Structures are given as C-alpha cells and as structure tokens.
Amino acid sequence: MTAATDGGASSSTPTPSQHAQAPPIAAARQPPLKQKMALGLKSLLGSARRFATGEEPATVPDLASLFSPTDPAVDGEDCTHDCESCHLSYPRGFKVDTEDLLYGHVKGWSTHVIVATGKTDWVRDVADEKGSVMEAFGAATSPSNGRLMLSASNIPTPSHTSDYSEPTSALILPAFTVIENLTPAAVPLLISSYINHAPTSKSPLDPISLPRFLPLPTLPGAQQLLARPSPHRALVLLCSHKTRDARCGQSAPILRKELERHLRPLGLFRDLDDERPGGVGVYFINHVGGHKYSANMMVYRRPDAFGVDAVERGKLAPGEEVTVRSEGRKKAEDKVEESGESGENGNGGDDVGAAQCIWLARVRPEDCENIVKYTILQGKVVKPDSQLRGGFDRGKGLMSW
C-alpha cells in the first residue's frame, strides 16, 4: 500500500520561455529507448498476469478525453504563455528528465489516504516511521475496493507535535473526508468500516452515505473515530520528500509560495490550520513516484469546484472578470444531520467527494499562475503533452490506467 517508485537518468530542463506551452505531441512520437524498453517489459509482465487471472486489458483514454486541454480560442491567449511576474526560480543545477512520455504510466489507485504528521520530510518509506499510523497501514489488510495510496503530510496534528503516540487525523480521498482521533490501533477498523465502503476513483458521482462515528469498544467516547467533511473545494498536494530526492525538498516550498501568491487575491488560499469553508488547501506529502520528473503536483477538485468550469475566458468582454465562488454551492455546516449518518458524511445529500484528480509533473514556478487559473479553478490542463502524468475524472468514468 505504498506509492510507485521510479528511476532513470536525468537530463537538463530547458530554459522556460514566455511562450512555453508545448505543441501537441505528434502521432509518430515515440518514447526514448530506455523508457521504451521499460514499458515493453511492463507490458510483457502485464500480459502474463492477465493471462493467468483472466483479467481484461485496460483501455487508457487519450489525454484530451480525460481532461480538457486549454485552447486559446476558448480560454484566451493567457493560456499560451507562462507567468510574466514570477520572480522565483529553482536552484541552479535543478535538472529533471524532459524526454520521457508521461501520460498513462502512473500506477492506478482507488483510495488516497493523507496522514497528518506535522512534518515535511520522513524516512525513505513512510510505512517505516516507527509507531506511526503509516506503519499501521503498511501492516494492515489491504482494502477490498482497490489499491490504497498512502501519503504522510505536513498537515498539523491535533496536538501540534510530531509525536506518533498522540492521535492524529487523516484525509480520505476521493471522499474528501477528514478522520479524527486516528491511532495506529484504529487503522484496521478504519479500513474495514469506512474505506472499504467509501467512494473510489472508479465510483460514479453518487452522494456519499457513510457513518460519522466509528466506535472502538475499548476506548471512551471522546476517543472514538469521527468523520467530517473536508471544508475545502480543492486540494493541491506537493511532494516535499527530500530524503528521497533533494529536488522535492527544494521545489515544494517554492511552488507553495507561488501558488499562495495567485490564490490569496482570489480569497482561495487556505493555510495549514485554516478551516474556513471553501478555498484550496496546499499540502506537502511524501514521495509519490517519479521524482526524476520533479516537481510532482496532484490536484483534487470537487465537481465544478468554484462555479467556473464552463466559463470561456477567451470570449469574455474586455475588462470582464471571472466570478469565483470560494465556498462552492453550499456551506458544509448548513447540512449537518443529527442521525449519525447522512448523505454527505455530515454535509447533506449532495456531496460526492472529489470529481477529479489531475496529476502533473515537471511543474516550475512560472507554471503556477496558469495552473491556478485553468487547472485548479476549471479542471483543465495547460501543458498536457509535457506535464500530465494521469489521474481520474469520476464524472466521465475515466482513469489514466
């Protein structure tokens, strides 16, 4: 239940230009030889597994079907160039692989668990963090509804310490649910009574109906597991795991600062302890695979998260501004039910969790303005050919694996 790993040599990143959007990939483009060999071996092993199990081969949708790419005719000329006001940059010598084809090569997942640790770096494999909730997940029986991706994060713990003996919290995605009072001993119950019944990346966008309380008979009421909706409309996850790769530790703080610069004027930036409804939480997580493509960024979005998915910026009148809804359609607190169960994990009958996860790589500071404007706000991808690794769209029933 750990994230995929990667390897391979690095090559220099080209100097970013003002007009940095990559042209569409030509149909004849092939992966470099080293990647081609690795993919060939992976395909062979996959064919052998499917032959043994009778599993049908998966059909990966083309990237434009999964996530809409920006189009200057629809989205305006801003989508064709990088931020002109960005003054942040990566350290000299920050090099990543720019040759490999990215799309369609991440290992699929059903559920993503983000554990609050209050730290920005961890041992090489977070399941080896002694006494932690991550270690308990690593030792537990796997969920029955598909692969679980496990991430440690810098989300503050309730005690505001990094002491693993204290209860912590975790975020369950795509359910967009926060689990409180979580301890290593409670992990098996969380998997069997909650995660096994929660929506996955393959689930349709149906209202969530899950318990708000998960009783542990050996604990007093004040220490029972509690489930509540995440207050945010979108989440941005940045790999900061410098123990695995120094580039991740270098890139994450820079990208967070640049994302904040563009989100805060919109009233959307949410700091680590900011529980106001709506907005965008920006968190650091451990290695997700592919550090040679740093920086990796995962964007989880609720359906039409800010009410502007259908806006065509390129057709707005001169001077006309896009109106962003920071809190989405309803405030979470308005729909809490008293029965202990609800159609929205305490939010009411319309919460379906995250509709999309968009996984980007090779992200640089000058990309952040358009990532905010088009990806976080509208669910589109600005540089699909060079940056999109994969993800899912539950509304379309499509995944990149």
Side-chain angles (χ1 to χ4, degrees):
M1 294 189 289
T2 56
T5 59
D6 74 334
S10 297
S11 61
S12 298
T13 303
T15 302
S17 64
Q18 181 175 347
H19 298 277
Q21 185 177 20
I25 293 179
R29 182 181 170 188
Q30 297 294 317
L33 179 60
K34 188 171 183 178
Q35 186 187 29
K36 192 171 184 177
M37 293 173 63
L39 293 176
L41 177 59
K42 181 179 178 181
S43 177
L44 182 63
L45 294 174
S47 296
R49 185 191 70 250
R50 288 190 294 271
F51 179 78
T53 62
E55 175 186 346
E56 292 293 326
T59 301
V60 176
D62 66 85
L63 52 82
S65 297
L66 182 56
F67 304 122
S68 297
T70 52
D71 177 353
V74 175
D75 302 298
E77 288 299 317
D78 283 354
C79 71
T80 65
H81 60 81
D82 293 332
C83 178
E84 298 176 350
S85 62
C86 177
H87 300 297
L88 297 177
S89 61
Y90 290 152
R92 181 175 298 183
F94 190 100
K95 298 179 180 181
V96 300
D97 181 294
T98 60
E99 300 299 322
D100 285 358
L101 301 184
L102 294 184
Y103 178 70
H105 301 308
V106 296
K107 188 175 182 180
W109 72 97
S110 295
T111 304
H112 195 173
V113 175
I114 316 294
V115 180
T117 72
K119 301 197 296 185
T120 61
D121 192 34
W122 306 268
V123 298
R124 181 174 177 83
D125 187 339
V126 294
D128 292 333
E129 291 269 341
K130 298 300 182 183
S132 70
V133 164
M134 294 84 71
E135 183 182 44
F137 267 105
T141 301
S142 298
S144 61
N145 56 357
R147 177 176 175 258
L148 185 147
M149 181 188 292
L150 177 65
S151 294
S153 78
N154 70 328
I155 297 174
T157 64
S159 62
H160 289 275
T161 71
S162 298
D163 184 353
Y164 290 143
S165 68
E166 297 288 335
T168 189
S169 60
L171 180 62
I172 312 297
L173 295 164
F176 251 107
T177 300
V178 177
I179 303 296
E180 298 179 334
N181 292 335
L182 183 59
T183 62
V187 166
L189 175 69
L190 177 63
I191 293 174
S192 62
S193 297
Y194 203 91
I195 292 175
N196 283 348
H197 307 285
T200 71
S201 58
K202 298 181 179 180
S203 302
L205 288 173
D206 294 330
I208 299 171
S209 181
L210 290 165
R212 293 182 60 225
F213 305 96
L214 296 174
L216 282 166
T218 58
L219 294 178
Q223 297 179 29
Q224 300 301 314
L225 288 180
L226 303 176
R228 62 175 176 85
S230 167
H232 304 313
R233 300 298 299 173
L235 296 170
V236 178
L237 306 176
L238 302 168
C239 179
S240 66
H241 202 168
K242 65 181 181 182
T243 295
R244 292 295 294 262
D245 194 287
R247 291 168 293 190
C248 299
Q250 293 166 344
S251 62
I254 293 172
L255 293 182
R256 185 180 186 276
K257 182 178 291 188
E258 193 63 14
L259 289 170
E260 178 179 1
R261 189 169 74 91
H262 295 290
L263 287 168
R264 193 173 287 282
L266 300 173
L268 297 181
F269 184 77
R270 298 291 184 266
D271 216 333
L272 293 174
D273 282 324
D274 193 337
E275 288 284 312
R276 286 177 296 158
V280 182
V282 182
Y283 304 132
F284 295 166
I285 60 171
N286 70 285
H287 179 68
V288 292
H291 50 240
K292 67 174 179 174
Y293 310 125
S294 294
N296 279 273
M297 174 187 293
M298 302 178 78
V299 180
Y300 281 91
R301 303 177 69 248
R302 293 184 182 274
D304 198 7
F306 303 99
V308 296
D309 279 16
V311 170
E312 297 183 346
R313 295 172 183 267
K315 299 180 181 180
L316 297 177
E320 184 178 358
E321 297 291 334
V322 174
T323 302
V324 175
R325 275 197 316 248
S326 65
E327 294 185 16
R329 286 168 294 195
K330 288 184 176 66
K331 291 176 67 174
E333 294 85 353
D334 293 341
K335 302 294 289 184
V336 174
E337 297 186 8
E338 301 296 331
S339 63
E341 288 199 17
S342 73
E344 193 179 352
N345 242 8
N347 268 18
D350 67 343
D351 185 25
V352 297
Q356 295 175 310
C357 177
I358 304 170
W359 188 341
L360 305 175
R362 300 174 180 148
V363 177
R364 302 187 68 84
E366 58 270 19
D367 295 318
C368 289
E369 181 180 40
N370 279 348
I371 286 175
V372 169
K373 183 182 292 186
Y374 298 108
T375 304
I376 296 173
L377 294 187
Q378 294 192 277
K380 297 184 176 184
V381 181
V382 181
K383 301 178 181 179
D385 301 325
S386 61
Q387 292 188 332
L388 180 62
R389 294 191 70 185
F392 62 80
D393 189 309
R394 293 170 57 207
K396 297 177 180 178
L398 297 177
M399 298 137 284
S400 65
W401 49 83

